[in-house]
Amino acid sequence: MSDYQKLAFVGDVGSGKSTIIRTLSEIEVVDTDKRATVDIGKEFTTIGIDYGRINFNDSMALGLYGVPGQKRYSLLWEHVNKSLWGLTLLVKFSGAPNTVDLSECLRFFDPVKTGTPFVLGLTHVDEVSNKNVSAVADILKSFLLDHELPGVVIPVNCLDRKSSMMIPYFINSMHNAKAI
Amino acid sequence: MFKQILYCSTANGQWSEHVPTAITDIIVQGRRFNRANNITGFLCYKGGYYLQAIEGPTEVITSLYKRICTDSRHYDVNTLLDEANLTTREFQAWSLKLASTSPVSEKVALFIDKKWPALKNNNKAALKILSIFYKAQVRSNYYNADFPSLRKVGQIEVKLLSVPTITSAQVGNHDLLDIYGHLIMRWRTFYDLLGTFRLKEYELYNLLHQLYQSDDLAIRKYQVQHANNTFRNQSKPRQSDSNFYSQLRSFFRRYV
């Protein structure tokens, strides 16, 4: 196995891609956040690829790539989708998640075909009750199962390092399970 | 005596693409009410329609169904089945299962999508749908229900036929996530897991219980496709020799 691996975070506007990469990365994050020109509920938004890195030692590192989830950015998807180590879809908590962009993403990255370990991170859940989280997780799970993916939905707080680390940790577990 | 009703209806109100916006409220309120009133069943949505089965004590179901019929979140409610005087219930594992159509059966999806009016006055077809969901429940619930005692546990092949929801509180639990990751990728026997994680039997037993606490389970096609067909009983403890994995693992253990 190569000593450099790529972990992609794909998600809609405001799902927390840049935040989680900033939380996880050990290097200064190369981000492409620009001031939003229309009101999207926040000042800055990602228009290119965010890049961060976790170094384990001198020769081993995990590259973190954040890519927008809308289909018009599929050019960036192609760039990132080469030999991925893991794929994370980030979805912002809401009563009715937007599954259309998610479908496009999944069709493109197709983790079932490539065998890439896949996790769906449910973000912005810190102030939501557990019951609501599990109800929305159910909707997302049934959506993932419709795409023949295992419905792995992990609630994640992008601002918290411990919580964010669970995503690469979990993908790592899946890799290990494949290997042994 | 129990009463069981199966109905389909047309969803009202807003849909955010393929998901009705009211679904979270329906599920959260429904589960709370159902648990309190000893009601079980499932809810399925597809293509603008709902299909729901409810079962429970006769009086409770009768009054609940009256309220359901007048609920503004849907209209055109059609009763497909109405069975009274039942001695057992069929969906006792599900307080209000949010069912996905396609993993259960393409046939169900087809019924709801295109042929659902054909279900009206067609007892046989309605019963067939119920039996599909029933089988799904039995299969998904097998491993959930089947950790009754430590003595028995040794013979169990642990297969993740259902996908539990990890709660925010469990996110920091490394062992739990490790086991979950392993079960997602391939089928395991209990001793496989024991060997891999070097846990004590009761620790693994507890973790599996934690993992499967949810009563809402789903069938996984993915697992069938990726299943390792030969089960390795009593296999030797093993760790991956992948350098990247072990480095990463120790890194996370250190920093998390």
Side-chain angles (χ1 to χ4, degrees):
Chain A
M1 186 183 266
S2 153
D3 286 346
Y4 180 79
Q5 298 291 338
K6 287 155 72 178
L7 172 59
F9 293 94
V10 189
D12 223 337
V13 174
S15 59
K17 303 177 292 292
S18 306
T19 315
I20 200 169
I21 290 179
R22 242 177 254 134
T23 306
L24 289 174
S25 180
E26 289 181 333
I27 60 165
E28 181 103 3
V29 173
V30 183
D31 65 22
T32 53
D33 276 12
K34 288 284 174 251
R35 205 171 286 273
T37 50
V38 287
D39 184 13
I40 52 169
K42 58 175 189 169
E43 196 179 357
F44 290 94
T45 190
T46 304
I47 56 158
I49 301 177
D50 286 328
Y51 178 73
R53 199 170 60 204
I54 304 176
N55 295 317
F56 303 114
N57 56 34
D58 291 347
S59 62
M60 292 173 74
L62 181 66
L64 311 166
Y65 295 76
V67 220
Q70 299 93 323
K71 204 190 174 194
R72 62 178 182 277
Y73 292 109
S74 54
L75 201 69
L76 299 176
W77 294 354
E78 274 171 38
H79 181 76
V80 169
N81 195 23
K82 287 168 197 151
S83 60
L84 272 185
W85 177 74
L87 173 67
T88 310
L89 267 191
L90 292 180
V91 178
K92 185 179 173 177
F93 176 90
S94 80
N98 170 9
T99 51
V100 173
D101 282 347
L102 296 183
S103 294
E104 292 286 353
C105 265
L106 289 178
R107 234 169 274 142
F108 181 87
F109 284 99
D110 203 351
V112 173
K113 193 172 156 199
T114 56
T116 311
F118 166 84
V119 174
L120 194 148
L122 188 57
T123 62
H124 294 75
V125 290
D126 9 324
E127 286 175 9
V128 187
S129 79
N130 257 345
K131 264 185 193 156
N132 284 328
V133 171
S134 90
V136 170
D138 276 359
I139 297 172
L140 291 168
K141 273 197 295 193
S142 77
F143 159 77
L144 291 176
L145 289 162
D146 282 347
H147 283 77
E148 301 190 5
L149 278 163
V152 183
V153 179
I154 295 187
V156 53
N157 178 0
C158 296
L159 289 167
D160 178 44
R161 191 170 161 84
K162 183 175 174 183
S163 172
S164 304
M165 270 295 181
M166 286 301 145
I167 300 274
Y169 184 88
F170 187 69
I171 289 176
N172 196 34
S173 295
M174 288 163 85
H175 268 289
N176 186 48
K178 257 197 338 190
I180 60 175
Chain B
M1 282 295 176
F2 295 114
K3 186 177 171 74
Q4 183 188 54
I5 291 177
L6 177 72
Y7 73 86
C8 62
S9 63
T10 311
N12 218 347
Q14 291 216 319
W15 281 57
S16 167
E17 306 305 339
H18 301 303
V19 185
T21 46
I23 197 80
T24 312
D25 288 342
I26 296 175
I27 293 292
V28 172
Q29 292 165 6
R31 282 182 189 160
R32 195 182 304 139
F33 182 84
N34 288 1
R35 283 189 187 129
N37 291 284
N38 202 14
I39 297 169
T40 49
F42 64 83
L43 173 70
C44 187
Y45 64 85
K46 188 95 179 176
Y49 303 116
Y50 289 121
L51 176 79
Q52 187 177 16
I54 45 171
E55 57 186 18
T58 309
E59 311 82 58
V60 187
I61 292 292
T62 313
S63 70
L64 172 66
Y65 193 56
K66 266 187 202 153
R67 281 200 291 129
I68 286 178
C69 289
T70 55
D71 194 317
S72 62
R73 289 175 291 199
H74 64 173
Y75 60 95
D76 194 15
V77 182
N78 292 285
T79 313
L80 305 175
L81 265 186
D82 186 347
E83 306 267 326
N85 300 326
L86 299 171
T87 49
T88 54
R89 52 173 85 219
E90 281 178 327
F91 300 100
Q92 52 189 344
W94 292 342
S95 60
L96 179 56
K97 162 79 176 166
L98 180 64
S100 173
T101 45
S102 76
V104 173
S105 167
E106 295 296 335
K107 283 180 197 158
V108 178
L110 201 66
F111 266 125
I112 304 171
D113 264 355
K114 295 174 188 139
K115 296 180 184 166
W116 75 282
L119 281 175
K120 291 179 207 169
N121 308 321
N122 186 347
N123 252 16
K124 211 173 154 192
L127 280 171
K128 166 110 187 167
I129 284 199
L130 270 191
S131 81
I132 290 169
F133 277 94
Y134 177 71
K135 279 179 197 156
Q137 180 208 220
V138 171
R139 269 187 291 166
S140 69
N141 215 41
Y142 177 74
Y143 293 97
N144 193 31
D146 208 1
F147 291 109
S149 74
L150 278 174
R151 267 174 301 156
K152 267 190 161 181
V153 143
Q155 291 120 38
I156 291 175
E157 286 156 353
V158 182
K159 302 171 206 174
L160 190 69
L161 285 167
S162 56
V163 187
T165 300
I166 297 279
T167 63
S168 305
Q170 292 171 340
V171 163
N173 189 335
H174 296 88
D175 289 334
L176 194 84
L177 287 178
D178 270 343
I179 287 172
Y180 192 20
H182 275 245
L183 291 175
I184 285 286
M185 296 315 283
R186 61 169 57 169
W187 294 0
R188 295 278 164 177
T189 65
F190 191 83
Y191 277 115
D192 258 346
L193 290 175
L194 267 186
T196 308
F197 295 105
R198 294 162 209 272
L199 293 166
K200 295 201 168 65
E201 270 195 19
Y202 71 89
E203 288 170 337
L204 180 56
Y205 176 75
N206 283 342
L207 285 170
L208 286 170
H209 258 298
Q210 275 184 46
L211 199 60
Y212 283 93
Q213 65 180 348
S214 159
D215 66 346
D216 293 290
L217 307 161
I219 301 293
R220 303 183 57 246
K221 272 187 187 171
Y222 185 85
Q223 190 71 65
V224 178
Q225 288 166 1
H226 294 255
N228 181 3
N229 288 328
T230 51
F231 288 86
R232 300 193 309 265
N233 289 320
Q234 310 275 351
S235 69
K236 286 175 196 159
R238 262 190 272 200
Q239 281 289 343
S240 163
D241 51 9
S242 150
N243 195 18
F244 196 82
Y245 169 80
S246 49
Q247 289 276 346
L248 211 65
R249 190 182 157 86
S250 59
F251 176 86
F252 288 135
R253 293 268 174 176
R254 206 165 56 233
Y255 286 91
V256 174

